[in-house]
């Protein structure tokens, strides 16, 4: 029992309500929003420390004994994800304070931002499937509003496909939840982990697992379900895109990891082979899409898709080393991807455009920005000694050990093409001279607020790259927890699991 | 009874998917609504349809006497209906904005509309 676990939900909620109460005062909103984001970072670190020292933490909201009632659980993976939410949430908020326009701020940007963080934290903590569904909807509806906030022409257009496809994903998820409830008579994840192996209908469970694959696959933007992402992610302001790019698809990946390690491990040969194929195709199609684009934000959006493939590949191989790689990859990727969007936003502030042909001369004018771009860009491509190198190395090693040569080849090819498209941004935006008819704007005071988070996130990437061991140890422990579910189940259900007694027709 | 629910959910799903494949965004949204009702029916049927007593514990006892109906699916469905209503309401407003901005709700026509507006794109 740990009451700490309500805090990542409660802190953003209180912040968001305060923002709504201070609707008229921009200054109160800006200060309160920053304080709320820092407080969230503090609570997530607190929870991570508790999980690291005392093992899996869980809370039965309202004191209903498990498996009834609402369960919040934090194992090492959930705690690590919470910390990343805290870090990126605070960094992107600082960036937003320097970049978001007064109109959007006046229309509730800060309240929505914190409600989004609340939804993401809730999804990471959810201990039963219906609760997970509810948190998905919370983060979905806030992401809808953030996406169209400002009412730009392109925003409306991008939001249509985003909204409709995500609604379908939610319904698929709910259908899977319903069927699973019909089969096992419970929705508590730990309880299901005990009951599902006892169910005498493995084919039925595999079928339901595919419903979950489709639902979370749409959220995570894997092949062939990713089309909503490149259509929508380049339309809102960079601060919104950066937080979406960092966190939202990763909630889908987290949910995939959760259900395909805890629940659907009956027929690994079938389900995880499908996952492996999906992962390989996701890497290839995503990176090929990126190579053809010329808008910085669209290039980066397609790279989100491609990178999701690496994480799913780690899950699909389903060995301790591969899961270690997947977790390491998620943690490194969220930092890097968020940072790349932020750098793109700074470049846009200076040069006034996202189109590569209209950019240029940034290396000559702002050499420090070029360095800040190179750190996450080369890390994304997987060059040593940056964090992406270690992430890719572990995944590839796991792939070779499992003899999944096709997926390894896809991963290597996608890595090379990632480098190609990062070089393209470098050449066009930083290296080539500025087109004659354009000029760079001088830095404004708010530029400092935009650059500070970029520097912080780049420092995180660098330190993960140069001293990867702590994160590897963390990912290793988390992977061990995912493969041996007893600690998770025991933490939630208390005593060692007993055979189920519910009658199942 | 279960067969009826299965048939009804199947028909609703088929109609919903058919509507989702249309070009008109409004029809697509109607498809989502039908799908959501189909899923709610599946959720209801998953909790077993029984002709049992309501799940009320008589005074003085700590457990219901005899077989009772399962109340949990109804709580789940109620939550799902409320959430679905909110999302669909938002989607309708979004479609209205789309029509007001582009003058069309046809997916193909919308795809041909240029993205850049007069307001430019924010950084």
């Amino acid at each position: 029992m740990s009451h700490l676990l309500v805090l990542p939900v409660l802190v953003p909620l209180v912040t968001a309500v305060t923002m709504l109460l201070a609707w008229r005062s921009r200054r109160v909103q800006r200060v309160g929003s920053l304080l709320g984001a820092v407080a969230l970072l503090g609570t997530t670190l607190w929870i991570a420390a508790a999980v690291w020292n005392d093992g899996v933490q869980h809370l039965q909201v309202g004191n209903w004994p498990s498996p009834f009632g609402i369960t919040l659980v934090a194992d090492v993976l959930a705690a690590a994800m919470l910390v990343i939410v805290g870090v990126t949430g605070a960094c992107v908020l600082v960036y937003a304070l320097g970049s978001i326009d007064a109109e959007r701020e006046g229309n509730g940007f800060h309240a929505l931002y914190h409600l989004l963080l609340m939804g993401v934290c809730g999804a990471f903590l959810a201990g039963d499937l219906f609760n997970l569904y509810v948190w998905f909807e919370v983060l979905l509806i806030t992401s809808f509003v953030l996406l169209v906030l400002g009412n730009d022409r392109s925003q409306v257009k991008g939001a249509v496909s985003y909204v409709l496809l995500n609604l379908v994903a939610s319904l698929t998820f709910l259908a899977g939840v319903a069927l699973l409830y019909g089969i096992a008579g419970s929705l508590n994840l730990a309880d299901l982990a005990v009951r599902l192996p006892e169910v005498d209908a493995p084919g039925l469970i595999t079928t339901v697992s595919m419903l979950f694959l489709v639902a979370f696959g749409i959220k995570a933007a894997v092949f062939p379900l990713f089309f909503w992402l490149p259509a929508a992610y380049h339309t809102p302001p960079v601060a919104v895109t950066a937080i979406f790019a960092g966190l939202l698809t990763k909630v889908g990946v987290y949910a995939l990891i959760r259900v395909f390690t805890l629940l659907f491990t009956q027929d690994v040969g079938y389900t995880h082979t499908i996952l492996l194929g999906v992962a390989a195709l996701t890497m290839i199609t995503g990176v090929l899409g990126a190579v053809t684009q010329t808008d910085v934000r669209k290039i980066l959006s397609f790279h989100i898709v491609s990178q999701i493939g690496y994480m799913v590949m780690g899950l699909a191989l389903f060995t301790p080393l591969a899961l270690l790689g997947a977790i390491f990859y998620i943690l490194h990727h969220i930092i890097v991807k968020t940072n790349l969007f932020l750098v793109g936003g700074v470049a846009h502030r200076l040069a006034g455009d996202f189109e590569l042909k209209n950019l240029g001369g940034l290396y000559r004018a702002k050499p420090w920005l070029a360095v800040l771009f190179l750190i996450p860009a080369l890390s994304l491509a997987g060059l040593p000694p940056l964090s992406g190198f270690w992430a890719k190395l572990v995944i590839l090693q796991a792939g070779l050990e499992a003899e999944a040569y096709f997926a390894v080849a896809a991963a290597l090819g996608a890595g090379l093409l990632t480098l190609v498209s990062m070089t393209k941004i470098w050449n066009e935006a930083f290296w080539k001279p500025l087109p004659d008819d354009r000029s760079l704007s001088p830095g404004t005071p708010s530029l400092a607020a935009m650059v500070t988070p970029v520097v912080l996130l780049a420092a995180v990437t660098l330190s993960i790259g140069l001293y990867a061991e702590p994160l590897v140890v963390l990912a290793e422990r988390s992977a061990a927890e995912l493969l041996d579910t007893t600690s998770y189940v025991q933490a939630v259900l208390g005593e060692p699991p007993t055979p189920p007694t519910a009658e199942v027709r | 009874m279960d067969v009826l629910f299965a048939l009804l959910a199947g028909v609703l799903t088929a109609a919903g998917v058919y509507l989702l494949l249309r070009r008109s965004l409004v029809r697509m949204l109607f498809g989502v609504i039908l799908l959501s009702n189909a899923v709610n029916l599946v959720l209801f049927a998953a909790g077993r349809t029984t002709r049992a007593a309501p799940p009320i514990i008589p005074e003085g006892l700590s457990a219901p006497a005899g077989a009772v109906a399962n109340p949990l699916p109804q709580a789940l469905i109620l939550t799902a209906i409320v959430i679905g209503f909110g999302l669909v309401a938002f989607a309708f407003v979004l479609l209205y904005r789309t029509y007001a901005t582009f003058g069309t709700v046809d997916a193909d026509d919308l795809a041909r509309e240029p993205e850049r507006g007069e307001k430019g794109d924010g950084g």
Side-chain angles (χ1 to χ4, degrees):
Chain A
M1 237 10 171
S2 165
H3 290 284
L4 212 57
L5 292 186
V6 288
L7 286 179
V9 176
L10 214 53
V11 170
L13 181 64
V14 169
T15 318
V17 171
T18 318
M19 298 298 101
L20 291 177
L21 290 176
W23 185 262
R24 282 162 193 281
S25 167
R26 258 185 80 198
R27 187 178 301 164
V28 174
Q29 286 204 28
R30 289 167 72 90
V31 175
S33 188
L34 186 60
L35 286 178
V38 173
L40 180 65
L41 175 59
T43 46
T44 55
L45 286 171
W46 192 5
I47 289 176
V51 171
W52 189 255
N53 294 328
D54 309 330
V56 181
Q57 303 283 307
H58 104 291
L59 170 68
Q60 289 296 129
V61 180
N63 253 344
W64 286 46
S66 52
F68 308 104
I70 293 169
T71 314
L72 299 179
V73 196
D75 59 355
V76 177
L77 175 61
M81 297 301 283
L82 284 176
V83 172
I84 290 283
V85 173
V87 172
T88 45
C91 283
V92 174
L93 185 77
V94 173
Y95 179 91
L97 289 177
S99 72
I100 208 92
D101 48 303
E103 190 195 331
R104 286 190 170 90
E105 253 184 348
N107 284 327
F109 168 80
H110 290 292
L112 288 165
Y113 184 85
H114 284 280
L115 288 175
L116 182 76
L117 293 183
M118 176 180 88
V120 174
C121 288
F124 288 147
L125 284 171
D128 72 88
L129 280 174
F130 199 78
N131 209 234
L132 185 63
Y133 164 76
V134 173
W135 287 120
F136 263 118
E137 301 304 296
V138 169
L139 71 88
L140 207 56
I141 191 89
T142 46
S143 73
F144 289 171
V145 185
L146 272 177
L147 193 63
V148 293
L149 190 70
N151 222 343
D152 218 37
R153 220 174 133 82
S154 61
Q155 283 183 293
V156 174
K157 190 175 163 184
V160 170
S161 42
Y162 179 85
V163 167
L164 283 173
L165 271 170
N166 274 291
L167 286 181
V168 173
S170 296
L171 293 175
T172 318
F173 179 21
L174 194 59
V177 167
L179 292 177
L180 212 53
Y181 179 70
I183 294 170
S186 176
L187 286 175
N188 187 297
L189 282 170
D191 198 26
L192 278 174
V194 180
R195 283 171 184 238
L196 281 184
E198 316 271 336
V199 175
D200 190 26
L204 208 52
I205 294 177
T206 309
T207 313
V208 174
S209 77
M210 289 299 111
L211 273 178
F212 281 89
L213 176 60
V214 170
F216 295 147
I218 295 180
K219 309 263 179 208
V222 300
F223 178 86
L225 308 163
F226 63 82
F227 297 101
W228 56 270
L229 192 147
Y233 268 27
H234 64 284
T235 58
V238 166
V240 175
T241 310
I243 198 78
F244 281 16
L247 298 179
L248 292 197
T249 46
K250 260 55 76 181
V251 180
V253 177
Y254 171 84
L256 275 178
I257 291 182
R258 192 54 86 201
V259 297
F260 279 96
T261 55
L262 197 58
L263 305 183
F264 304 122
T265 50
Q266 289 80 13
D267 196 358
V268 176
Y270 181 76
T271 50
H272 289 63
T273 309
I274 292 183
L275 278 173
L276 192 62
V278 163
L281 291 170
T282 307
M283 288 185 268
I284 297 170
T285 45
V287 84
L288 286 180
V291 169
T292 62
Q293 295 297 327
T294 56
D295 179 300
V296 174
R297 294 169 303 174
K298 284 189 185 168
I299 294 176
L300 294 177
S301 297
F302 271 105
H303 277 300
I304 302 175
V305 176
S306 143
Q307 303 279 312
I308 295 289
Y310 289 91
M311 302 165 205
V312 178
M313 180 177 161
L315 169 65
L317 295 170
F318 205 58
T319 61
L321 188 65
L323 278 173
L324 186 165
I327 293 159
F328 192 101
Y329 210 108
I330 295 178
L331 298 175
H332 124 83
H333 171 83
I334 292 179
I335 302 281
V336 164
K337 194 83 233 179
T338 308
N339 202 6
L340 276 173
F341 271 103
L342 297 186
V343 174
V346 175
H348 174 269
R349 170 61 61 94
L350 293 171
D353 212 314
F354 285 111
E355 271 296 325
L356 286 178
K357 66 176 193 307
N358 293 332
L359 289 169
L362 283 171
Y363 176 72
R364 173 165 297 221
K366 308 276 181 205
W368 49 267
L369 186 64
V371 175
L372 287 177
F373 168 75
L374 274 186
I375 293 172
L378 295 181
S379 179
L380 191 77
L383 259 63
L386 295 157
S387 59
F389 169 71
W390 304 111
K392 281 202 170 69
L393 184 71
V394 175
I395 298 255
L396 290 177
Q397 198 179 340
L400 289 176
E401 273 178 20
E403 298 179 352
Y405 297 119
F406 174 62
V408 170
L412 285 172
L416 190 65
L417 287 176
T418 307
L419 190 59
V420 168
S421 77
M422 287 301 128
T423 321
K424 186 167 81 179
I425 298 183
W426 170 260
N427 280 343
E428 295 282 325
F430 291 92
W431 203 242
K432 81 165 189 224
L434 195 68
D436 291 333
D437 56 331
R438 304 190 68 91
S439 61
L440 289 180
S441 76
T444 47
S446 64
L447 198 64
M450 293 165 71
V451 173
T452 316
V454 175
V455 175
L456 285 176
L457 291 174
V460 174
T461 305
L462 257 184
S463 44
I464 294 176
L466 296 176
Y467 187 46
E469 198 186 332
L471 198 59
V472 171
V473 172
L474 184 146
E476 194 175 11
R477 185 167 151 187
S478 176
E481 257 181 20
L482 288 176
L483 283 175
D484 179 20
T485 54
T486 43
S487 64
Y488 185 95
V489 172
Q490 273 186 27
V492 177
L493 296 183
E495 77 286 359
T498 49
T501 50
E503 76 286 6
V504 175
R505 279 194 299 188
Chain B
M1 200 60 187
D2 283 345
V3 177
L4 275 181
F5 271 107
L7 282 176
L8 187 55
V11 170
L12 283 175
T13 309
V17 170
Y18 173 73
L19 284 175
L20 267 177
L21 298 175
R22 303 295 297 263
R23 277 185 313 182
S24 159
L25 293 174
V26 179
R27 292 212 171 87
M28 288 169 78
L29 191 53
F30 286 154
V32 170
I33 295 172
L34 288 188
L35 271 184
S36 122
N37 286 326
V39 170
N40 286 342
L41 280 178
V42 172
L43 198 50
F44 188 67
R48 308 290 186 269
T49 46
T50 45
R51 283 178 174 279
I56 296 169
I57 302 168
E59 223 169 289
L61 294 179
S62 62
V68 294
N70 185 358
L72 186 69
Q74 304 184 23
L76 299 183
I77 293 169
L78 200 58
T79 316
I81 289 176
V82 172
I83 291 175
F85 175 76
L87 292 173
V88 167
F90 177 84
F92 267 116
V93 175
L94 179 68
L95 289 192
Y96 177 71
R97 285 296 326 166
T98 311
Y99 183 71
T101 312
F102 295 98
T104 178
V105 283
D106 185 289
D108 280 359
D109 290 347
L110 196 63
R112 282 192 288 270
E113 290 284 336
E115 256 183 17
R116 291 293 179 92
E118 65 288 350
K119 280 174 75 179
D121 42 4

